């Protein structure tokens, strides 16, 4: 007869490293943050088994739902190393809602997944504070999420994030998109920095150079490297929605992993090429520094980082000036970076000698 457990003290979930009471206190603490993101269609109240959204109350008649999920990648390591946790939540929302907007969908609601070895209420609350801020910037409601405390899965202080967002677009708007044509203009909307891609290389550069996140950033006076690299991803939703609703925008590409070289081809039809002139904008200092420290050739630079362009937008030539003004009035800097022409490559990007720090003229194709 087995005597397993005889003469041993009882074990609780807390003994195993999971504090249910701390989790309950955390949910209570973030309730006001979620409520601050309330919008038509969502009456935010955490604690249920699922979140509800009413598309009719949001003003939709015949909506198609569009879903996106993403994370923040190894940018989280910089947040953990610096102890600054409230900006990566904005990144998390941005990576999802910027993907929704390129599908012409208005972000409606958001859910997050936060996983850690041992829950620190202060850290988790700071993260969710950023998520709520991102939702407010995007005009979507934070209607739920999951906090997973998993001892043994993560090192001390480590955590991971994932985000999930759903948007909607009226069926008629989704099915009647103006076609990209020869002569159309490509607008480049400015990024706020590295955004949330390329951080494995960023961290490799810091390691090879013997730099810490507390060291001054040579490219950002008054900031440490950690502060500069943690600049949150730009959210483009409010700036882009008017041009989607009035039919001005033909196509968009969110410049994430793969950069301009690999994301613009995802929206290009056959027989046309997006010809981009890299001389149309200056490489922001953070990318100049990374290019120099990692000795990156143009193709590698352009497919690793956004290089200062967080969103590419294609509009007709006669709409470009007015739409650019509209974008900039919404607080987003922009550049006319290229034009649509006949051709076999989905995208070509060319730079002149001396621009971006390269001594010779160059061209790459995607």
């Amino acid at each position: 007869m087995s005597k397993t457990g005889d003469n041993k003290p009882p074990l609780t979930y807390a003994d195993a490293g999971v504090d249910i009471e701390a989790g309950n206190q955390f949910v209570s603490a973030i309730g006001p943050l979620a409520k601050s993101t309330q919008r038509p269609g969502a009456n935010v109240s955490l604690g249920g088994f699922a979140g509800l959204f009413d598309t009719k109350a949001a003003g939709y008649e015949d909506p198609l739902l569009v879903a996106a999920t993403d994370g923040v990648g190894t940018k989280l390591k910089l947040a953990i190393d610096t102890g600054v946790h409230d900006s990566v939540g904005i990144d998390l929302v941005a990576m999802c809602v910027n993907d929704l907007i390129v599908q012409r969908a208005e972000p409606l609601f958001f859910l997050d997944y936060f996983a850690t070895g041992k829950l620190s209420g202060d850290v988790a609350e700071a993260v969710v504070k950023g998520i709520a801020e991102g939702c407010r910037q995007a005009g979507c409601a934070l209607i739920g999420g999951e906090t997973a405390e998993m001892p043994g899965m993560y090192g001390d202080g480590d955590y991971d994030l994932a985000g999930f967002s759903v948007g909607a677009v009226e069926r008629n708007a989704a099915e009647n998109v103006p076609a990209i044509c020869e002569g159309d203009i490509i607008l480049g909307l400015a990024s706020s920095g590295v955004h949330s891609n390329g951080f494995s290389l960023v961290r490799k550069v810091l390691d090879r150079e013997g730099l810490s996140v507390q060291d001054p950033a040579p490219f950002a006076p008054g900031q440490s490297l950690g502060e500069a690299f943690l600049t949150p991803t730009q959210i483009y939703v409010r700036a882009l929605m008017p041009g989607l609703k009035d039919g001005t925008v033909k196509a968009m590409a969110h410049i994430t992993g793969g950069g301009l070289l690999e994301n613009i081809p995802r929206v290009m039809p056959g027989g046309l090429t997006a010809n981009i002139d890299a001389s149309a904008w200056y490489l922001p200092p953070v990318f100049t520094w990374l290019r120099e420290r990692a000795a990156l050739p143009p193709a590698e630079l352009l497919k690793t980082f956004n290089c200062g362009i967080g969103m590419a937008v294609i509009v007709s030539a006669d709409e470009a000036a007015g739409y650019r003004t509209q974008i900039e009035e919404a607080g987003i800097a922009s550049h006319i970076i290229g034009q649509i022409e006949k051709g076999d490559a989905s995208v070509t990007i060319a730079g002149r000698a001396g621009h971006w720090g390269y001594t010779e003229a160059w061209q790459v194709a995607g």
Side-chain angles (χ1 to χ4, degrees):
M1 183 175 186
S2 173
K3 293 187 178 182
T4 301
D6 289 358
N7 301 318
K8 294 180 180 178
L11 286 174
T12 66
Y13 214 4
D15 293 327
V18 179
D19 191 338
I20 295 177
E21 182 57 31
N24 292 337
Q25 291 173 359
F26 170 63
V27 172
S28 297
I30 64 173
L33 294 173
K35 196 167 185 63
S36 73
T37 69
Q38 191 166 306
R39 54 151 294 158
N43 184 11
V44 178
S45 178
L46 301 184
F49 289 94
L52 303 177
F53 193 93
D54 183 349
T55 54
K56 187 169 288 293
Y60 286 89
E61 298 294 330
D62 184 22
L64 297 177
L65 297 182
V66 184
T69 183
D70 213 329
V72 182
T74 59
K75 189 173 186 177
L76 288 179
K77 287 293 293 180
L78 294 187
I80 292 165
D81 291 345
T82 59
V84 177
H85 304 282
D86 57 356
S87 61
V88 288
I90 300 175
D91 289 300
L92 184 67
V93 175
M95 295 303 287
C96 294
V97 299
N98 286 342
D99 279 351
L100 290 181
I101 199 74
V102 301
Q103 298 297 127
R104 314 185 82 83
E106 175 194 12
L108 300 178
F109 59 85
F110 191 87
L111 299 97
D112 69 278
Y113 175 79
F114 178 96
T116 187
K118 182 172 179 57
L119 182 63
S120 166
D122 290 344
V123 170
E125 188 173 346
V127 171
V128 176
K129 180 181 178 181
I131 292 171
E133 172 59 25
C135 287
R136 289 191 294 270
Q137 290 183 23
C140 65
L142 176 59
I143 66 171
E146 167 69 4
T147 304
E149 194 173 20
M150 299 188 289
M153 286 289 290
Y154 297 91
D156 289 347
D158 287 348
Y159 61 88
D160 199 9
L161 285 177
F164 313 85
S165 191
V166 171
V169 56
E170 293 287 8
R171 187 183 303 273
N172 181 62
E175 294 177 350
N176 295 284
V177 178
I180 298 173
C181 304
E182 183 181 6
D184 286 345
I185 297 298
I186 307 161
L187 295 179
L189 276 57
S191 67
S192 54
V194 182
H195 284 185
S196 296
N197 296 100
F199 275 90
S200 292
L201 180 55
V202 168
R203 291 170 52 244
K204 186 72 173 178
V205 169
L206 295 180
D207 183 61
R208 191 171 75 173
E209 296 288 311
L211 296 169
S212 79
V213 291
Q214 284 79 33
D215 288 328
F219 51 85
Q223 289 188 302
S224 69
L225 284 165
E227 290 169 337
F229 280 120
L230 283 173
T231 301
T233 304
Q234 179 68 56
I235 293 176
Y236 298 99
V237 174
R238 293 189 187 276
L240 289 171
M241 280 306 302
L244 289 174
K245 290 183 175 179
D246 66 17
T248 301
V249 173
K250 293 190 172 188
M252 292 174 286
H254 184 197
I255 310 306
T256 56
L260 289 159
L261 273 178
E262 295 185 4
N263 285 290
I264 291 178
R266 297 167 69 176
V267 301
M268 290 296 298
L272 293 175
T273 297
N275 281 330
I276 294 177
D277 178 10
S279 303
W281 77 99
Y282 287 100
L283 193 67
V286 60
F287 300 109
T288 299
W289 187 82
L290 287 165
R291 178 192 63 75
E292 293 171 349
R293 293 301 184 275
L296 297 173
E300 190 67 23
L301 179 69
L302 283 158
K303 71 180 181 182
T304 305
F305 299 112
N306 65 61
C307 295
I309 303 296
M311 187 76 72
V313 183
I314 300 173
V315 298
S316 64
D318 58 355
E319 300 272 13
Y323 188 62
R324 188 180 178 198
T325 298
Q326 184 183 101
I327 290 293
E328 298 201 346
E329 286 177 348
I332 307 291
S334 67
H335 313 273
I336 295 176
I337 63 172
Q339 190 168 355
I340 304 299
E341 300 175 5
K342 289 183 179 178
D344 297 328
S346 296
V347 60
T348 63
I349 306 175
R352 67 174 187 265
H355 200 69
W356 287 21
Y358 294 109
T359 57
E360 298 179 352
W362 54 269
Q363 179 170 307
V364 295

